[in-house]
Amino acid sequence: MKHNSDIEKRRTFAIISHPDAGKTTLTEKLLLFGGAIQTAGAVKNNKIKKTATSDFMEIEKQRGISVATSVMAFEYLNKQINILDTPGHKDFAEDTYRTLTAVDSVILIIDCANGVEAQTKRLMEVCRMRKTPVIIFINKLDREGRESFDLLDELEEILKIKVCPLSWPIGIGATFKGVYNIYSKELNLFAANKTKISEEVIQIEDVNSSDLDEQIGNNEADLLREELDLVSGVYDHFNREDYLSGEVAPVFFGSAINNFGVKELLEAFLDISPSPLGRETDMGFIEPNDKKFSGFIFKIHANLDPKHRDRIAFLRIVSGKFERNTFYNHVRLDKKIKFANPTSFMAQDKSVIDEAFPGDVIGLYDTGTFKIGDSLTEGSEFSFKGIPSFSPEIFMELENKDPMKSKQLEKGIQQLTDEGVAQLFIQQPGNRKIVGTVGQLQFDVIAYRLEHEYGAKCAFTPKRYFKACWMTTDNQKELEQFIKAKSVYIAKDKDDNFVFLAETPFLLQMAQADYPNIKFHFTSDFKVGIEN
Ligand code: G4P
């Protein structure tokens, strides 16, 4: 029974947004509420600075610091909250996608002036694919922004999710007076306040009562009543099941920098968000209250400092109880391993832990035994599914510049791709190595690390591919014909799956038309893949 309450009290989620919408600010305010940090600025200092966009060493240094904030855990209202940090820099988008496999829900932040932005759209695609429950926080209401109904329309249209406003703003920018919380029937009056973390709220059960006019003035009260009428006419009543199944996103409004709307967001989140969920494996679904321990690695952080060559593998616990110094089964290697110093992350402090529960994320010191997606179990042989690879955006052929070091290059690129720095596709003839990434920076990281860690020298030649497409079919013969006909554009991924490296959208369309029985996917997670 104790185990069930340990699971029930946990909430593991990520805050995601297009850069600059307020992710760092909101994270920090949540940590302040939870008492996990004492001063504002603590998280911000770990943020990858915008000025460092072209200097990968600087970024890596800052990423190094941010290992400590990879998971920020704190307690609030008897709940154990685990916030998984996701890098804001777009070149590390793949890291973010993988982190999303380790959370049970997300809070998506939208800047009220900018609405849906490029990164918002892509992140939401990943959430939709995984049916992750999403709460939307519309931020920066203290600044001039777009009209609320317009923003909600845009969210529904572009993000392809139904929304359900649970709070409603009164004015915006210079006229911003506060929000009415539809969920708890409370009025929260705005006061610019960057330091205080408490929020005062006024209970207003009935918006038609004159209390509302007294608080915000007759005109504003009338307008609010009108808008709330419209809200209840246009949007369905909040239904938790629809939120949990990823079909409807509740929406809150606020101003993170002013601690405004943050407490109500957090409390509503704790009320409605899912406790740790199970995960699919190749041998069926594993529930969190399964007695035996299991978990998977979703991120590996390498230390670039040659004096500290250790890597940290991040493990999400799915079921049972993880215990220090206990032998577990590394399923891929069929090997028993134990961990003397597993660490947990409490905001900025790392500490060795003795046990951890479903929903928790712990850091395991790794000397190269882990690959992203690896499963650890208490004896069982199953592997978790669903750390998908997404099609890279940039492709380069890797060339060996020092023939004497080809073994080192081979080992280095293998290990770096195991860590998830980039994806490797092998093309025939000649075992040509095509490296794919989402950002240019990764190529600098790879070249640097191959040289400094493996003593290998390389060069990259750009390849003009548009997407890597994984393929499925019911017609094996047609697939074989396709692979033969397009052999120059065919490669194999790390798991020996064939991929089609399409040069242009047009050529992909042609392939689709010519081979109607083949389905092309932009992700390796075929079951729920985004089809073209
Ligand atoms: P990110 O992690 O999503 O990239 O965003 P971050 O929190 O760093 O916020 C981006 C900018 O937006 C910051 O300003 C931050 O202060 C500001 N901001 C966040 N929330 C609010 C809000 O509710 N209202 C207003 N008006 N601004 C907000 P900056 O100038 O880039 O940084 P800084 O100099 O303030 O640290």
Side-chain angles (χ1 to χ4, degrees), residues 17-26 44 47 50 139-140 142-143 254-258:
S17 73
H18 187 86
D20 269 353
K23 184 168 78 71
T24 316
T25 311
L26 181 66
K44 192 117 203 158
K47 188 177 157 174
K50 290 160 212 151
N139 191 26
K140 306 195 187 181
D142 59 309
R143 278 202 199 156
S255 167
I257 194 121
N258 289 295

mmCIF file with all atom_site columns, all heavy atoms in Angstrom, residues 17-26 44 47 50 139-140 142-143 254-258, ligand 1:
data_model
loop_
_atom_site.group_PDB
_atom_site.id
_atom_site.type_symbol
_atom_site.label_atom_id
_atom_site.label_alt_id
_atom_site.label_comp_id
_atom_site.label_asym_id
_atom_site.label_entity_id
_atom_site.label_seq_id
_atom_site.pdbx_PDB_ins_code
_atom_site.Cartn_x
_atom_site.Cartn_y
_atom_site.Cartn_z
_atom_site.occupancy
_atom_site.B_iso_or_equiv
_atom_site.pdbx_formal_charge
_atom_site.auth_seq_id
_atom_site.auth_comp_id
_atom_site.auth_asym_id
_atom_site.auth_atom_id
_atom_site.pdbx_PDB_model_num
ATOM   1   N N   . SER A 1 17  ? 8.404  25.387 -24.210 1.00 0.00 ? 17  SER A N   1
ATOM   2   C CA  . SER A 1 17  ? 7.956  26.600 -24.894 1.00 0.00 ? 17  SER A CA  1
ATOM   3   C C   . SER A 1 17  ? 8.933  26.946 -26.001 1.00 0.00 ? 17  SER A C   1
ATOM   4   O O   . SER A 1 17  ? 10.042 26.426 -26.052 1.00 0.00 ? 17  SER A O   1
ATOM   5   C CB  . SER A 1 17  ? 7.891  27.775 -23.925 1.00 0.00 ? 17  SER A CB  1
ATOM   6   O OG  . SER A 1 17  ? 9.195  28.213 -23.593 1.00 0.00 ? 17  SER A OG  1
ATOM   7   N N   . HIS A 1 18  ? 8.505  27.829 -26.848 1.00 0.00 ? 18  HIS A N   1
ATOM   8   C CA  . HIS A 1 18  ? 9.422  28.444 -27.797 1.00 0.00 ? 18  HIS A CA  1
ATOM   9   C C   . HIS A 1 18  ? 10.361 29.311 -26.948 1.00 0.00 ? 18  HIS A C   1
ATOM   10  O O   . HIS A 1 18  ? 9.919  29.883 -25.947 1.00 0.00 ? 18  HIS A O   1
ATOM   11  C CB  . HIS A 1 18  ? 8.624  29.308 -28.779 1.00 0.00 ? 18  HIS A CB  1
ATOM   12  C CG  . HIS A 1 18  ? 9.444  29.848 -29.887 1.00 0.00 ? 18  HIS A CG  1
ATOM   13  N ND1 . HIS A 1 18  ? 9.683  29.137 -31.034 1.00 0.00 ? 18  HIS A ND1 1
ATOM   14  C CD2 . HIS A 1 18  ? 10.094 31.021 -30.017 1.00 0.00 ? 18  HIS A CD2 1
ATOM   15  C CE1 . HIS A 1 18  ? 10.457 29.857 -31.825 1.00 0.00 ? 18  HIS A CE1 1
ATOM   16  N NE2 . HIS A 1 18  ? 10.718 30.999 -31.234 1.00 0.00 ? 18  HIS A NE2 1
ATOM   17  N N   . PRO A 1 19  ? 11.650 29.419 -27.327 1.00 0.00 ? 19  PRO A N   1
ATOM   18  C CA  . PRO A 1 19  ? 12.551 30.251 -26.527 1.00 0.00 ? 19  PRO A CA  1
ATOM   19  C C   . PRO A 1 19  ? 11.966 31.640 -26.264 1.00 0.00 ? 19  PRO A C   1
ATOM   20  O O   . PRO A 1 19  ? 11.334 32.222 -27.152 1.00 0.00 ? 19  PRO A O   1
ATOM   21  C CB  . PRO A 1 19  ? 13.809 30.344 -27.396 1.00 0.00 ? 19  PRO A CB  1
ATOM   22  C CG  . PRO A 1 19  ? 13.784 29.106 -28.220 1.00 0.00 ? 19  PRO A CG  1
ATOM   23  C CD  . PRO A 1 19  ? 12.340 28.775 -28.446 1.00 0.00 ? 19  PRO A CD  1
ATOM   24  N N   . ASP A 1 20  ? 12.161 32.100 -25.025 1.00 0.00 ? 20  ASP A N   1
ATOM   25  C CA  . ASP A 1 20  ? 11.763 33.457 -24.623 1.00 0.00 ? 20  ASP A CA  1
ATOM   26  C C   . ASP A 1 20  ? 10.306 33.605 -24.189 1.00 0.00 ? 20  ASP A C   1
ATOM   27  O O   . ASP A 1 20  ? 9.886  34.692 -23.815 1.00 0.00 ? 20  ASP A O   1
ATOM   28  C CB  . ASP A 1 20  ? 12.023 34.504 -25.720 1.00 0.00 ? 20  ASP A CB  1
ATOM   29  C CG  . ASP A 1 20  ? 13.395 35.108 -25.551 1.00 0.00 ? 20  ASP A CG  1
ATOM   30  O OD1 . ASP A 1 20  ? 14.036 34.804 -24.521 1.00 0.00 ? 20  ASP A OD1 1
ATOM   31  O OD2 . ASP A 1 20  ? 13.829 35.867 -26.416 1.00 0.00 ? 20  ASP A OD2 1
ATOM   32  N N   . ALA A 1 21  ? 9.538  32.531 -24.239 1.00 0.00 ? 21  ALA A N   1
ATOM   33  C CA  . ALA A 1 21  ? 8.141  32.658 -23.814 1.00 0.00 ? 21  ALA A CA  1
ATOM   34  C C   . ALA A 1 21  ? 8.035  32.721 -22.291 1.00 0.00 ? 21  ALA A C   1
ATOM   35  O O   . ALA A 1 21  ? 7.035  33.202 -21.753 1.00 0.00 ? 21  ALA A O   1
ATOM   36  C CB  . ALA A 1 21  ? 7.310  31.503 -24.358 1.00 0.00 ? 21  ALA A CB  1
ATOM   37  N N   . GLY A 1 22  ? 9.093  32.238 -21.597 1.00 0.00 ? 22  GLY A N   1
ATOM   38  C CA  . GLY A 1 22  ? 9.075  32.358 -20.135 1.00 0.00 ? 22  GLY A CA  1
ATOM   39  C C   . GLY A 1 22  ? 9.276  31.053 -19.382 1.00 0.00 ? 22  GLY A C   1
ATOM   40  O O   . GLY A 1 22  ? 8.967  30.956 -18.199 1.00 0.00 ? 22  GLY A O   1
ATOM   41  N N   . LYS A 1 23  ? 9.869  30.053 -20.041 1.00 0.00 ? 23  LYS A N   1
ATOM   42  C CA  . LYS A 1 23  ? 10.078 28.746 -19.400 1.00 0.00 ? 23  LYS A CA  1
ATOM   43  C C   . LYS A 1 23  ? 10.960 28.854 -18.163 1.00 0.00 ? 23  LYS A C   1
ATOM   44  O O   . LYS A 1 23  ? 10.620 28.339 -17.097 1.00 0.00 ? 23  LYS A O   1
ATOM   45  C CB  . LYS A 1 23  ? 10.721 27.796 -20.421 1.00 0.00 ? 23  LYS A CB  1
ATOM   46  C CG  . LYS A 1 23  ? 10.907 26.399 -19.912 1.00 0.00 ? 23  LYS A CG  1
ATOM   47  C CD  . LYS A 1 23  ? 11.266 25.480 -21.057 1.00 0.00 ? 23  LYS A CD  1
ATOM   48  C CE  . LYS A 1 23  ? 12.715 25.599 -21.468 1.00 0.00 ? 23  LYS A CE  1
ATOM   49  N NZ  . LYS A 1 23  ? 13.649 25.035 -20.504 1.00 0.00 ? 23  LYS A NZ  1
ATOM   50  N N   . THR A 1 24  ? 12.096 29.537 -18.318 1.00 0.00 ? 24  THR A N   1
ATOM   51  C CA  . THR A 1 24  ? 13.013 29.651 -17.187 1.00 0.00 ? 24  THR A CA  1
ATOM   52  C C   . THR A 1 24  ? 12.351 30.411 -16.044 1.00 0.00 ? 24  THR A C   1
ATOM   53  O O   . THR A 1 24  ? 12.465 30.026 -14.873 1.00 0.00 ? 24  THR A O   1
ATOM   54  C CB  . THR A 1 24  ? 14.297 30.406 -17.628 1.00 0.00 ? 24  THR A CB  1
ATOM   55  O OG1 . THR A 1 24  ? 14.697 29.885 -18.883 1.00 0.00 ? 24  THR A OG1 1
ATOM   56  C CG2 . THR A 1 24  ? 15.404 30.249 -16.627 1.00 0.00 ? 24  THR A CG2 1
ATOM   57  N N   . THR A 1 25  ? 11.664 31.476 -16.387 1.00 0.00 ? 25  THR A N   1
ATOM   58  C CA  . THR A 1 25  ? 11.014 32.288 -15.358 1.00 0.00 ? 25  THR A CA  1
ATOM   59  C C   . THR A 1 25  ? 9.961  31.470 -14.618 1.00 0.00 ? 25  THR A C   1
ATOM   60  O O   . THR A 1 25  ? 9.926  31.452 -13.382 1.00 0.00 ? 25  THR A O   1
ATOM   61  C CB  . THR A 1 25  ? 10.363 33.543 -15.996 1.00 0.00 ? 25  THR A CB  1
ATOM   62  O OG1 . THR A 1 25  ? 11.324 34.167 -16.844 1.00 0.00 ? 25  THR A OG1 1
ATOM   63  C CG2 . THR A 1 25  ? 9.873  34.506 -14.954 1.00 0.00 ? 25  THR A CG2 1
ATOM   64  N N   . LEU A 1 26  ? 9.126  30.769 -15.347 1.00 0.00 ? 26  LEU A N   1
ATOM   65  C CA  . LEU A 1 26  ? 8.070  29.987 -14.685 1.00 0.00 ? 26  LEU A CA  1
ATOM   66  C C   . LEU A 1 26  ? 8.673  28.873 -13.826 1.00 0.00 ? 26  LEU A C   1
ATOM   67  O O   . LEU A 1 26  ? 8.251  28.654 -12.690 1.00 0.00 ? 26  LEU A O   1
ATOM   68  C CB  . LEU A 1 26  ? 7.103  29.393 -15.716 1.00 0.00 ? 26  LEU A CB  1
ATOM   69  C CG  . LEU A 1 26  ? 5.962  28.582 -15.099 1.00 0.00 ? 26  LEU A CG  1
ATOM   70  C CD1 . LEU A 1 26  ? 5.024  29.470 -14.282 1.00 0.00 ? 26  LEU A CD1 1
ATOM   71  C CD2 . LEU A 1 26  ? 5.151  27.843 -16.156 1.00 0.00 ? 26  LEU A CD2 1
ATOM   72  N N   . LYS A 1 44  ? 17.981 30.805 -13.745 1.00 0.00 ? 44  LYS A N   1
ATOM   73  C CA  . LYS A 1 44  ? 18.330 31.649 -14.879 1.00 0.00 ? 44  LYS A CA  1
ATOM   74  C C   . LYS A 1 44  ? 19.826 31.587 -15.185 1.00 0.00 ? 44  LYS A C   1
ATOM   75  O O   . LYS A 1 44  ? 20.235 31.586 -16.343 1.00 0.00 ? 44  LYS A O   1
ATOM   76  C CB  . LYS A 1 44  ? 17.937 33.084 -14.542 1.00 0.00 ? 44  LYS A CB  1
ATOM   77  C CG  . LYS A 1 44  ? 17.984 33.988 -15.710 1.00 0.00 ? 44  LYS A CG  1
ATOM   78  C CD  . LYS A 1 44  ? 16.617 34.530 -16.012 1.00 0.00 ? 44  LYS A CD  1
ATOM   79  C CE  . LYS A 1 44  ? 16.565 34.961 -17.440 1.00 0.00 ? 44  LYS A CE  1
ATOM   80  N NZ  . LYS A 1 44  ? 15.241 34.999 -17.937 1.00 0.00 ? 44  LYS A NZ  1
ATOM   81  N N   . LYS A 1 47  ? 20.868 29.037 -17.552 1.00 0.00 ? 47  LYS A N   1
ATOM   82  C CA  . LYS A 1 47  ? 20.275 29.035 -18.883 1.00 0.00 ? 47  LYS A CA  1
ATOM   83  C C   . LYS A 1 47  ? 21.328 29.286 -19.957 1.00 0.00 ? 47  LYS A C   1
ATOM   84  O O   . LYS A 1 47  ? 22.228 30.088 -19.777 1.00 0.00 ? 47  LYS A O   1
ATOM   85  C CB  . LYS A 1 47  ? 19.213 30.132 -18.926 1.00 0.00 ? 47  LYS A CB  1
ATOM   86  C CG  . LYS A 1 47  ? 18.405 30.098 -20.171 1.00 0.00 ? 47  LYS A CG  1
ATOM   87  C CD  . LYS A 1 47  ? 17.340 31.155 -20.121 1.00 0.00 ? 47  LYS A CD  1
ATOM   88  C CE  . LYS A 1 47  ? 16.943 31.477 -21.525 1.00 0.00 ? 47  LYS A CE  1
ATOM   89  N NZ  . LYS A 1 47  ? 15.829 32.373 -21.588 1.00 0.00 ? 47  LYS A NZ  1
ATOM   90  N N   . LYS A 1 50  ? 21.629 33.571 -24.800 1.00 0.00 ? 50  LYS A N   1
ATOM   91  C CA  . LYS A 1 50  ? 21.308 33.775 -26.222 1.00 0.00 ? 50  LYS A CA  1
ATOM   92  C C   . LYS A 1 50  ? 22.538 34.198 -27.020 1.00 0.00 ? 50  LYS A C   1
ATOM   93  O O   . LYS A 1 50  ? 22.688 33.879 -28.169 1.00 0.00 ? 50  LYS A O   1
ATOM   94  C CB  . LYS A 1 50  ? 20.237 34.854 -26.366 1.00 0.00 ? 50  LYS A CB  1
ATOM   95  C CG  . LYS A 1 50  ? 18.900 34.392 -25.865 1.00 0.00 ? 50  LYS A CG  1
ATOM   96  C CD  . LYS A 1 50  ? 18.003 35.571 -25.565 1.00 0.00 ? 50  LYS A CD  1
ATOM   97  C CE  . LYS A 1 50  ? 17.091 35.212 -24.427 1.00 0.00 ? 50  LYS A CE  1
ATOM   98  N NZ  . LYS A 1 50  ? 16.689 36.322 -23.628 1.00 0.00 ? 50  LYS A NZ  1
ATOM   99  N N   . ASN A 1 139 ? 1.361  33.491 -21.072 1.00 0.00 ? 139 ASN A N   1
ATOM   100 C CA  . ASN A 1 139 ? 2.219  34.295 -20.197 1.00 0.00 ? 139 ASN A CA  1
ATOM   101 C C   . ASN A 1 139 ? 2.343  35.753 -20.674 1.00 0.00 ? 139 ASN A C   1
ATOM   102 O O   . ASN A 1 139 ? 1.979  36.074 -21.797 1.00 0.00 ? 139 ASN A O   1
ATOM   103 C CB  . ASN A 1 139 ? 3.602  33.625 -20.176 1.00 0.00 ? 139 ASN A CB  1
ATOM   104 C CG  . ASN A 1 139 ? 4.500  34.207 -19.110 1.00 0.00 ? 139 ASN A CG  1
ATOM   105 O OD1 . ASN A 1 139 ? 4.026  34.729 -18.092 1.00 0.00 ? 139 ASN A OD1 1
ATOM   106 N ND2 . ASN A 1 139 ? 5.803  34.117 -19.325 1.00 0.00 ? 139 ASN A ND2 1
ATOM   107 N N   . LYS A 1 140 ? 2.863  36.562 -19.797 1.00 0.00 ? 140 LYS A N   1
ATOM   108 C CA  . LYS A 1 140 ? 3.206  37.972 -20.069 1.00 0.00 ? 140 LYS A CA  1
ATOM   109 C C   . LYS A 1 140 ? 1.974  38.855 -20.261 1.00 0.00 ? 140 LYS A C   1
ATOM   110 O O   . LYS A 1 140 ? 1.978  39.756 -21.100 1.00 0.00 ? 140 LYS A O   1
ATOM   111 C CB  . LYS A 1 140 ? 4.141  38.105 -21.285 1.00 0.00 ? 140 LYS A CB  1
ATOM   112 C CG  . LYS A 1 140 ? 5.394  37.252 -21.183 1.00 0.00 ? 140 LYS A CG  1
ATOM   113 C CD  . LYS A 1 140 ? 6.443  37.666 -22.172 1.00 0.00 ? 140 LYS A CD  1
ATOM   114 C CE  . LYS A 1 140 ? 7.609  36.699 -22.184 1.00 0.00 ? 140 LYS A CE  1
ATOM   115 N NZ  . LYS A 1 140 ? 8.660  37.052 -23.112 1.00 0.00 ? 140 LYS A NZ  1
ATOM   116 N N   . ASP A 1 142 ? 1.004  41.047 -18.480 1.00 0.00 ? 142 ASP A N   1
ATOM   117 C CA  . ASP A 1 142 ? 1.309  42.419 -18.060 1.00 0.00 ? 142 ASP A CA  1
ATOM   118 C C   . ASP A 1 142 ? 1.768  43.267 -19.246 1.00 0.00 ? 142 ASP A C   1
ATOM   119 O O   . ASP A 1 142 ? 1.946  44.472 -19.128 1.00 0.00 ? 142 ASP A O   1
ATOM   120 C CB  . ASP A 1 142 ? 2.407  42.401 -16.979 1.00 0.00 ? 142 ASP A CB  1
ATOM   121 C CG  . ASP A 1 142 ? 3.676  41.743 -17.481 1.00 0.00 ? 142 ASP A CG  1
ATOM   122 O OD1 . ASP A 1 142 ? 3.582  40.617 -18.021 1.00 0.00 ? 142 ASP A OD1 1
ATOM   123 O OD2 . ASP A 1 142 ? 4.757  42.350 -17.365 1.00 0.00 ? 142 ASP A OD2 1
ATOM   124 N N   . ARG A 1 143 ? 2.010  42.608 -20.374 1.00 0.00 ? 143 ARG A N   1
ATOM   125 C CA  . ARG A 1 143 ? 2.420  43.331 -21.583 1.00 0.00 ? 143 ARG A CA  1
ATOM   126 C C   . ARG A 1 143 ? 1.303  43.317 -22.591 1.00 0.00 ? 143 ARG A C   1
ATOM   127 O O   . ARG A 1 143 ? 0.465  42.431 -22.572 1.00 0.00 ? 143 ARG A O   1
ATOM   128 C CB  . ARG A 1 143 ? 3.601  42.601 -22.223 1.00 0.00 ? 143 ARG A CB  1
ATOM   129 C CG  . ARG A 1 143 ? 4.891  42.946 -21.593 1.00 0.00 ? 143 ARG A CG  1
ATOM   130 C CD  . ARG A 1 143 ? 5.955  42.640 -22.598 1.00 0.00 ? 143 ARG A CD  1
ATOM   131 N NE  . ARG A 1 143 ? 7.244  42.527 -21.945 1.00 0.00 ? 143 ARG A NE  1
ATOM   132 C CZ  . ARG A 1 143 ? 8.247  41.845 -22.434 1.00 0.00 ? 143 ARG A CZ  1
ATOM   133 N NH1 . ARG A 1 143 ? 8.102  41.195 -23.579 1.00 0.00 ? 143 ARG A NH1 1
ATOM   134 N NH2 . ARG A 1 143 ? 9.393  41.811 -21.827 1.00 0.00 ? 143 ARG A NH2 1
ATOM   135 N N   . GLY A 1 254 ? -1.534 34.333 -17.107 1.00 0.00 ? 254 GLY A N   1
ATOM   136 C CA  . GLY A 1 254 ? -0.798 34.925 -15.997 1.00 0.00 ? 254 GLY A CA  1
ATOM   137 C C   . GLY A 1 254 ? 0.421  35.696 -16.448 1.00 0.00 ? 254 GLY A C   1
ATOM   138 O O   . GLY A 1 254 ? 0.606  35.974 -17.646 1.00 0.00 ? 254 GLY A O   1
ATOM   139 N N   . SER A 1 255 ? 1.242  36.016 -15.479 1.00 0.00 ? 255 SER A N   1
ATOM   140 C CA  . SER A 1 255 ? 2.486  36.724 -15.759 1.00 0.00 ? 255 SER A CA  1
ATOM   141 C C   . SER A 1 255 ? 3.543  36.143 -14.842 1.00 0.00 ? 255 SER A C   1
ATOM   142 O O   . SER A 1 255 ? 3.620  36.480 -13.667 1.00 0.00 ? 255 SER A O   1
ATOM   143 C CB  . SER A 1 255 ? 2.292  38.219 -15.494 1.00 0.00 ? 255 SER A CB  1
ATOM   144 O OG  . SER A 1 255 ? 3.543  38.853 -15.478 1.00 0.00 ? 255 SER A OG  1
ATOM   145 N N   . ALA A 1 256 ? 4.326  35.243 -15.411 1.00 0.00 ? 256 ALA A N   1
ATOM   146 C CA  . ALA A 1 256 ? 5.278  34.487 -14.582 1.00 0.00 ? 256 ALA A CA  1
ATOM   147 C C   . ALA A 1 256 ? 6.234  35.411 -13.846 1.00 0.00 ? 256 ALA A C   1
ATOM   148 O O   . ALA A 1 256 ? 6.499  35.222 -12.660 1.00 0.00 ? 256 ALA A O   1
ATOM   149 C CB  . ALA A 1 256 ? 6.049  33.508 -15.454 1.00 0.00 ? 256 ALA A CB  1
ATOM   150 N N   . ILE A 1 257 ? 6.711  36.426 -14.543 1.00 0.00 ? 257 ILE A N   1
ATOM   151 C CA  . ILE A 1 257 ? 7.732  37.269 -13.919 1.00 0.00 ? 257 ILE A CA  1
ATOM   152 C C   . ILE A 1 257 ? 7.182  37.978 -12.684 1.00 0.00 ? 257 ILE A C   1
ATOM   153 O O   . ILE A 1 257 ? 7.905  38.258 -11.734 1.00 0.00 ? 257 ILE A O   1
ATOM   154 C CB  . ILE A 1 257 ? 8.318  38.281 -14.921 1.00 0.00 ? 257 ILE A CB  1
ATOM   155 C CG1 . ILE A 1 257 ? 9.591  38.904 -14.353 1.00 0.00 ? 257 ILE A CG1 1
ATOM   156 C CG2 . ILE A 1 257 ? 7.362  39.393 -15.261 1.00 0.00 ? 257 ILE A CG2 1
ATOM   157 C CD1 . ILE A 1 257 ? 10.768 38.672 -15.196 1.00 0.00 ? 257 ILE A CD1 1
ATOM   158 N N   . ASN A 1 258 ? 5.878  38.218 -12.694 1.00 0.00 ? 258 ASN A N   1
ATOM   159 C CA  . ASN A 1 258 ? 5.243  38.875 -11.552 1.00 0.00 ? 258 ASN A CA  1
ATOM   160 C C   . ASN A 1 258 ? 4.628  37.875 -10.573 1.00 0.00 ? 258 ASN A C   1
ATOM   161 O O   . ASN A 1 258 ? 3.805  38.263 -9.737  1.00 0.00 ? 258 ASN A O   1
ATOM   162 C CB  . ASN A 1 258 ? 4.161  39.833 -12.048 1.00 0.00 ? 258 ASN A CB  1
ATOM   163 C CG  . ASN A 1 258 ? 4.765  41.040 -12.731 1.00 0.00 ? 258 ASN A CG  1
ATOM   164 O OD1 . ASN A 1 258 ? 5.441  41.826 -12.092 1.00 0.00 ? 258 ASN A OD1 1
ATOM   165 N ND2 . ASN A 1 258 ? 4.558  41.159 -14.034 1.00 0.00 ? 258 ASN A ND2 1
HETATM 166 P P1  . G4P B 2 .   ? 12.680 31.064 -21.856 1.00 0.00 ? 1   G4P B P1  1
HETATM 167 O O1  . G4P B 2 .   ? 13.283 30.303 -20.723 1.00 0.00 ? 1   G4P B O1  1
HETATM 168 O O2  . G4P B 2 .   ? 11.374 30.486 -22.329 1.00 0.00 ? 1   G4P B O2  1
HETATM 169 O O3  . G4P B 2 .   ? 13.606 31.328 -22.980 1.00 0.00 ? 1   G4P B O3  1
HETATM 170 O O4  . G4P B 2 .   ? 12.246 32.510 -21.316 1.00 0.00 ? 1   G4P B O4  1
HETATM 171 P P2  . G4P B 2 .   ? 12.696 33.327 -20.034 1.00 0.00 ? 1   G4P B P2  1
HETATM 172 O O5  . G4P B 2 .   ? 12.043 32.807 -18.807 1.00 0.00 ? 1   G4P B O5  1
HETATM 173 O O6  . G4P B 2 .   ? 14.165 33.507 -20.011 1.00 0.00 ? 1   G4P B O6  1
HETATM 174 O O7  . G4P B 2 .   ? 11.997 34.694 -20.373 1.00 0.00 ? 1   G4P B O7  1
HETATM 175 C C1  . G4P B 2 .   ? 12.330 35.439 -21.532 1.00 0.00 ? 1   G4P B C1  1
HETATM 176 C C2  . G4P B 2 .   ? 12.166 36.914 -21.258 1.00 0.00 ? 1   G4P B C2  1
HETATM 177 O O8  . G4P B 2 .   ? 10.794 37.185 -20.947 1.00 0.00 ? 1   G4P B O8  1
HETATM 178 C C3  . G4P B 2 .   ? 12.962 37.396 -20.059 1.00 0.00 ? 1   G4P B C3  1
HETATM 179 O O9  . G4P B 2 .   ? 13.347 38.716 -20.311 1.00 0.00 ? 1   G4P B O9  1
HETATM 180 C C4  . G4P B 2 .   ? 11.939 37.391 -18.937 1.00 0.00 ? 1   G4P B C4  1
HETATM 181 O O10 . G4P B 2 .   ? 12.256 38.279 -17.893 1.00 0.00 ? 1   G4P B O10 1
HETATM 182 C C5  . G4P B 2 .   ? 10.704 37.822 -19.676 1.00 0.00 ? 1   G4P B C5  1
HETATM 183 N N1  . G4P B 2 .   ? 9.460  37.386 -19.026 1.00 0.00 ? 1   G4P B N1  1
HETATM 184 C C6  . G4P B 2 .   ? 9.138  36.162 -18.539 1.00 0.00 ? 1   G4P B C6  1
HETATM 185 N N2  . G4P B 2 .   ? 7.892  36.170 -18.010 1.00 0.00 ? 1   G4P B N2  1
HETATM 186 C C7  . G4P B 2 .   ? 7.410  37.421 -18.189 1.00 0.00 ? 1   G4P B C7  1
HETATM 187 C C8  . G4P B 2 .   ? 6.174  38.058 -17.858 1.00 0.00 ? 1   G4P B C8  1
HETATM 188 O O11 . G4P B 2 .   ? 5.266  37.492 -17.278 1.00 0.00 ? 1   G4P B O11 1
HETATM 189 N N3  . G4P B 2 .   ? 6.055  39.365 -18.213 1.00 0.00 ? 1   G4P B N3  1
HETATM 190 C C9  . G4P B 2 .   ? 7.053  40.063 -18.845 1.00 0.00 ? 1   G4P B C9  1
HETATM 191 N N4  . G4P B 2 .   ? 6.831  41.341 -19.133 1.00 0.00 ? 1   G4P B N4  1
HETATM 192 N N5  . G4P B 2 .   ? 8.230  39.494 -19.161 1.00 0.00 ? 1   G4P B N5  1
HETATM 193 C C10 . G4P B 2 .   ? 8.406  38.196 -18.846 1.00 0.00 ? 1   G4P B C10 1
HETATM 194 P P3  . G4P B 2 .   ? 14.805 39.093 -20.799 1.00 0.00 ? 1   G4P B P3  1
HETATM 195 O O12 . G4P B 2 .   ? 14.829 40.562 -20.943 1.00 0.00 ? 1   G4P B O12 1
HETATM 196 O O13 . G4P B 2 .   ? 15.167 38.265 -21.986 1.00 0.00 ? 1   G4P B O13 1
HETATM 197 O O14 . G4P B 2 .   ? 15.703 38.579 -19.625 1.00 0.00 ? 1   G4P B O14 1
HETATM 198 P P4  . G4P B 2 .   ? 15.951 39.264 -18.227 1.00 0.00 ? 1   G4P B P4  1
HETATM 199 O O15 . G4P B 2 .   ? 16.924 40.322 -18.519 1.00 0.00 ? 1   G4P B O15 1
HETATM 200 O O16 . G4P B 2 .   ? 14.625 39.785 -17.735 1.00 0.00 ? 1   G4P B O16 1
HETATM 201 O O17 . G4P B 2 .   ? 16.460 38.162 -17.392 1.00 0.00 ? 1   G4P B O17 1
#
